[in-house]
């Protein structure tokens, strides 16, 4: 126990004792007096309240408000909040140009910067507020790495746009670019579309990466139940922020830490939710990276195996009909979890940040017949999950594809090879491809890109042109908003001499997402001959943050991580 009978705190086991306790820390305390704290506040636990607020994109602009509300909750529960911000690279704006190389790198920078701020100032606990594709996993990675009592809070989704009588998201604008190139949408309509797609604060509204990882945060137990449901502009969200601040203080008192919550079973629960919601393939990148932070091996193969036995039951865009706001109104993640738990698909005994188990949190959740966003397990959209892992001669380490709502799941055709996304996007924009082709975009992996870019601009352009009889393959990533037969994370990547580096135009590639296979139909002797003549390809990032990432990053199927993780720890920050 860290709380004394008189209500004061015993900080002898808390990290902040190193900056607040004893005569030697008088200089340190003088800084806190300068910021308006008194002796009582300095004697309380220090709680880092980290947000990814910035004006880069609407997914981040509501985060400061919610961080302030979380601080109110910390104060009300007897703690001393210390707010700080970290970066975000927003994929929607980074997409389709060199800026996208910064995206996955930012996940590490977010985790690293939160870690360093917490370590440097001796904070005892963490409330993390995030709202974008890489900031959600980055913030949760920091929590697992530090292992101090922590609560995660999603900043909320954007409201759906309305255009020509229907709900739209930014995905419709990306696909509108393709329709414009195909001559089926004029410039005036595209201009009107872009002006109506994003009407508020909040993250992209479909079951893209941000909302996928928001669902994960509840399923894995790091976020309060229903905290991801309300859209970002709704001021009622602030109640969840206050409650998150109060909850982290209870976790300090009970000494419940992130690694007590995020067990192997909890990661399995998270993967079930990714599959059941038709979530982003990036879930198979971020879950292994999060598991790495707490010494659990959880790979692309684990995600794929769980998806293969999980029904797809949430009818969400891009494969389905509804947006995140609709799911929140239908009962949100708790409704989804209760449905899956009752079917025996979740581990109900996992601890959560409420101090209760997952099953205990869901005890009062009742199925609602007045909604059809979430289907009963007995009547799924598909009997297996919305994402599928693929293995074969082209991808010995695996690849992944989102099949939610996808009819075209089997394909065999000639390769059309591009060294980098830009060349492929140019060909697609010019309609310089044939139906039946397999477009191969390589040297876009974690190491070779560097940075493992997403390819939404290219995939959306194809979809907007109305072409379905085609496949795309990359050692990079596809956006959570991607739809179509688009296989990402192909490994080993081209930069390390994986089979994708040896493909030539005209080679036949066969894909079967129903069986989980992806093969290059080239004689092994011919492939070995190509391998002998293959040489590594240089890129232009030879200094700076992206260069550092390229030197350190590991393979995608293990999460594209850049450090040894908990398996090599000799100390944990929480116990300094």
């Amino acid at each position: 126990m860290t709380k004394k009978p008189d209500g004061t705190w015993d900080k002898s086991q808390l990290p902040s004792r190193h900056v607040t306790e004893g005569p030697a820390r008088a200089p340190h305390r003088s800084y806190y007096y300068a910021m308006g704290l008194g002796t009582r506040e300095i004697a309380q636990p220090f709680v880092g309240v980290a947000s990814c607020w910035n004006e880069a994109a609407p997914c981040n602009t509501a985060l400061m408000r919610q961080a302030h509300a979380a601080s109110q909750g910390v104060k009300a529960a007897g703690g001393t909040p210390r707010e700080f911000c970290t970066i975000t690279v927003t994929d929607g704006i980074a997409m389709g140009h060199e800026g996208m190389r910064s995206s996955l790198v930012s996940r590490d920078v977010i985790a690293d910067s939160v870690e360093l701020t917490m370590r440097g100032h001796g904070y005892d606990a963490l409330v993390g507020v995030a709202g974008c594709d890489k900031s959600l996993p980055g913030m949760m990675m920091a929590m697992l790495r530090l292992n101090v009592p922590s609560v995660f809070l999603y900043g909320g989704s954007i409201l759906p746009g309305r255009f020509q009588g229907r709900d739209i998201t930014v995905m419709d604008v990306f696909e509108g670019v393709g329709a414009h190139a195909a001559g089926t949408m004029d410039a005036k309509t595209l201009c009107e579309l872009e002006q109506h797609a994003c009407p508020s604060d909040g993250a992209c509204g479909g079951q893209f990466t941000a909302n996928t990882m928001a669902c994960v945060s509840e399923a894995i137990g790091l976020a309060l139940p229903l905290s991801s449901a309300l859209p970002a502009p709704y001021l009622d969200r602030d109640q969840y922020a206050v409650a998150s601040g109060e909850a982290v203080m209870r976790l300090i008192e009970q000494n419940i830490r992130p690694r007590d919550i995020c067990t192997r079973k909890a990661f399995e629960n998270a993967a079930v939710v990714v599959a059941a919601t038709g979530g982003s393939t990036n879930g198979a990148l971020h879950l292994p990276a999060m598991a790495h932070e707490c010494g659990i091996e959880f790979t692309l193969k684990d995600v794929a195996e769980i998806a293969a036995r999980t029904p797809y039951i949430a009818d969400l865009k891009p494969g389905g009909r509804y947006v995140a706001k609709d799911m929140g109104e239908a009962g949100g993640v708790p409704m989804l979890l209760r449905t899956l738990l009752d079917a025996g698909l979740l581990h109900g005994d996992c601890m959560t940040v409420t101090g209760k188990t997952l099953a205990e949190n869901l005890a009062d959740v009742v199925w609602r017949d007045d909604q059809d966003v979430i289907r009963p397990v007995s009547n799924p959209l598909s009997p297996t999950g919305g994402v599928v892992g693929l293995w074969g001669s082209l991808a010995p380490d695996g690849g992944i594809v989102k099949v939610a709502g996808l009819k075209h799941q089997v394909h065999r055709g000639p390769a059309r090879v591009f060294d980098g996304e830009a060349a492929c996007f140019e060909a697609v924009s010019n309609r310089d491809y044939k139906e039946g082709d397999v477009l191969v975009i390589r040297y876009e992996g974690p190491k070779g890109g560097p940075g493992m870019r997403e390819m939404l601009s290219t995939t959306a352009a194809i979809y907007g042109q109305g072409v379905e009889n085609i496949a795309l393959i990359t050692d990079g990533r596809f956006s959570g908003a991607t739809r179509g037969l688009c296989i990402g994370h192909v490994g080993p990547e081209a930069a390390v001499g994986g089979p994708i580096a040896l493909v030539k135009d005209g080679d036949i590639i066969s894909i079967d997402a129903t069986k989980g296979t992806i093969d290059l139909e080239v004689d092994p002797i011919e492939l070995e001959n190509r391998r002998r003549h293959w040489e590594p390809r240089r890129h232009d990032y030879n200094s700076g943050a992206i260069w550092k990432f390229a030197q350190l990053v590991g393979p995608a199927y293990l999460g594209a991580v850049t450090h040894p993780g908990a398996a090599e720890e000799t100390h944990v920050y929480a116990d300094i």
Side-chain angles (χ1 to χ4, degrees):
M1 294 287 289
T2 55
K3 205 166 191 179
K4 301 176 185 177
D6 64 1
T8 61
W9 292 85
D10 175 7
K11 298 180 75 171
S12 62
Q13 301 300 315
L14 295 180
S16 66
R17 73 187 186 276
H18 294 296
V19 297
T20 65
E21 302 298 295
R25 297 303 181 241
H28 306 63
R29 291 191 294 271
S30 71
Y31 286 113
Y32 292 113
Y33 289 121
M35 291 183 282
L37 299 188
T39 55
R40 179 174 60 83
E41 288 90 355
I42 293 172
Q44 295 174 160
F46 281 13
V47 178
V49 179
S51 81
C52 299
W53 176 88
N54 56 58
E55 293 183 331
C59 42
N60 311 310
T61 46
L63 302 183
M64 185 71 78
R65 185 195 85 222
Q66 295 175 65
H68 291 337
S71 292
Q72 293 172 15
V74 171
K75 289 179 182 178
T80 301
R82 309 312 301 152
E83 292 188 22
F84 63 95
C85 291
T86 185
I87 69 159
T88 309
V89 172
T90 299
D91 290 1
I93 292 177
M95 193 73 67
H97 58 92
E98 289 294 296
M100 180 47 79
R101 301 197 191 283
S102 303
S103 174
L104 184 58
V105 181
S106 76
R107 185 189 70 180
D108 274 32
V109 173
I110 290 162
D112 292 351
S113 61
V114 173
E115 176 197 359
L116 294 175
T117 299
M118 295 286 291
R119 282 185 180 274
H121 304 103
Y123 296 160
D124 302 311
L126 175 62
V127 177
V129 189
C132 204
D133 292 4
K134 306 308 174 298
S135 60
L136 275 82
M139 191 67 74
M140 289 187 275
M141 286 164 65
M143 293 173 173
L144 293 164
R145 186 183 304 177
L146 294 162
N147 205 33
V148 292
S150 301
V151 177
F152 177 82
L153 178 66
Y154 178 43
S157 71
I158 200 169
L159 294 172
R162 291 290 294 176
F163 184 67
Q164 296 180 343
R166 62 189 177 94
D167 284 350
I168 61 170
T169 71
V170 72
M171 175 189 74
D172 296 275
V173 188
F174 276 100
E175 293 177 358
V177 173
H180 180 261
T184 57
M185 181 181 289
D186 60 32
K188 182 177 182 292
T189 303
L190 180 60
C191 182
E192 291 174 354
L193 177 65
E194 73 181 64
Q195 291 172 356
H196 289 84
C198 299
S200 73
D201 293 329
C204 298
Q207 193 64 352
F208 313 150
T209 304
N211 282 310
T212 298
M213 296 309 296
C215 292
V216 162
S217 72
E218 290 193 44
I220 209 166
L222 287 175
L224 293 176
L226 210 59
S227 60
S228 63
L230 292 174
Y234 289 14
L235 297 184
D236 286 352
R237 280 201 61 80
D238 295 3
Q239 297 175 16
Y240 288 98
V242 172
S244 296
E246 294 170 341
V248 83
M249 296 304 298
R250 292 193 295 272
L251 294 176
I252 296 174
E253 190 170 355
Q254 297 167 357
N255 195 29
I256 297 175
R257 300 178 177 187
R259 297 186 195 176
D260 300 324
I261 293 168
C262 294
T263 61
R264 169 79 191 198
K265 287 183 177 180
F267 278 99
E268 291 175 359
N269 286 348
V272 167
V273 165
V274 172
T277 60
S280 170
T281 54
N282 284 310
L285 189 70
H286 300 321
L287 287 177
M290 289 168 59
H292 180 73
E293 298 289 354
C294 44
I296 297 170
E297 184 173 299
F298 194 77
T299 70
L300 170 64
K301 194 169 189 66
D302 293 305
V303 176
E305 288 176 352
I306 290 167
R309 60 176 187 261
T310 302
Y312 165 40
I313 61 172
D315 194 3
L316 298 168
K317 289 176 178 287
R321 296 177 293 163
Y322 294 107
V323 295
K325 175 178 177 289
D326 300 319
M327 180 167 170
E329 292 172 351
V333 177
M335 177 71 73
L336 175 79
L337 293 176
R338 181 62 192 260
T339 307
L340 294 166
L341 180 68
D342 288 349
L345 296 168
L346 294 176
H347 304 287
D349 58 346
C350 293
M351 179 56 63
T352 74
V353 292
T354 64
K356 299 177 181 179
T357 65
L358 185 73
E360 289 171 336
N361 289 342
L362 300 173
D364 296 329
V365 177
V366 178
W367 174 260
R368 285 174 42 192
D369 288 322
D370 64 340
Q371 60 83 36
D372 65 348
V373 181
I374 301 167
R375 304 277 286 271
V377 169
S378 60
N379 183 31
L381 292 155
S382 169
T384 58
V387 293
V388 170
L390 306 171
W391 282 265
S393 59
L394 184 56
D397 286 350
I400 193 164
V401 59
K402 178 186 273 195
V403 296
L406 180 63
K407 296 178 182 178
H408 181 55
Q409 297 190 22
V410 178
H411 189 92
R412 182 176 181 272
R416 180 81 186 280
V417 182
F418 301 92
D419 288 349
E421 182 196 17
C424 185
F425 181 72
E426 182 179 0
V428 168
S429 298
N430 295 329
R431 300 296 297 266
D432 183 18
Y433 63 90
K434 297 176 182 177
E435 291 202 35
D437 281 351
V438 179
L439 307 183
V440 178
I441 307 174
R442 64 188 179 191
Y443 294 103
E444 291 287 8
K447 189 176 289 291
M452 203 177 183
R453 285 198 290 186
E454 288 184 354
M455 311 290 174
L456 179 60
S457 292
T458 301
T459 61
I462 291 173
Y463 195 90
Q465 291 170 4
V467 179
E468 291 190 18
N469 182 28
I470 198 164
L472 277 82
I473 295 172
T474 183
D475 52 6
R477 297 179 294 129
F478 288 116
S479 165
T482 291
R483 49 182 168 179
L485 189 58
C486 301
I487 297 110
H489 304 199
V490 168
E493 62 173 293
V496 299
I500 193 171
L502 309 178
V503 181
K504 291 185 176 181
D505 284 343
D507 288 348
I508 299 300
I509 294 173
S510 59
I511 303 157
D512 191 332
T514 65
K515 295 180 179 178
T517 59
I518 178 169
D519 290 298
L520 177 62
E521 297 181 9
V522 174
D523 186 274
I525 295 174
E526 167 62 16
L527 272 185
E528 187 55 39
N529 182 56
R530 293 182 191 179
R531 189 180 307 280
R532 284 196 299 269
H533 292 89
W534 175 82
E535 294 182 358
R537 181 175 179 268
R538 287 181 60 84
H539 55 72
D540 291 333
Y541 291 84
N542 296 306
S543 65
I546 296 176
W547 177 87
K548 285 192 288 187
F549 180 84
Q551 309 312 303
L552 296 170
V553 70
Y557 79 97
L558 295 177
V561 295
T562 57
H563 68 104
E568 298 298 322
E569 283 178 348
T570 55
H571 89 285
V572 180
Y573 165 72
D575 296 321
I576 61 171

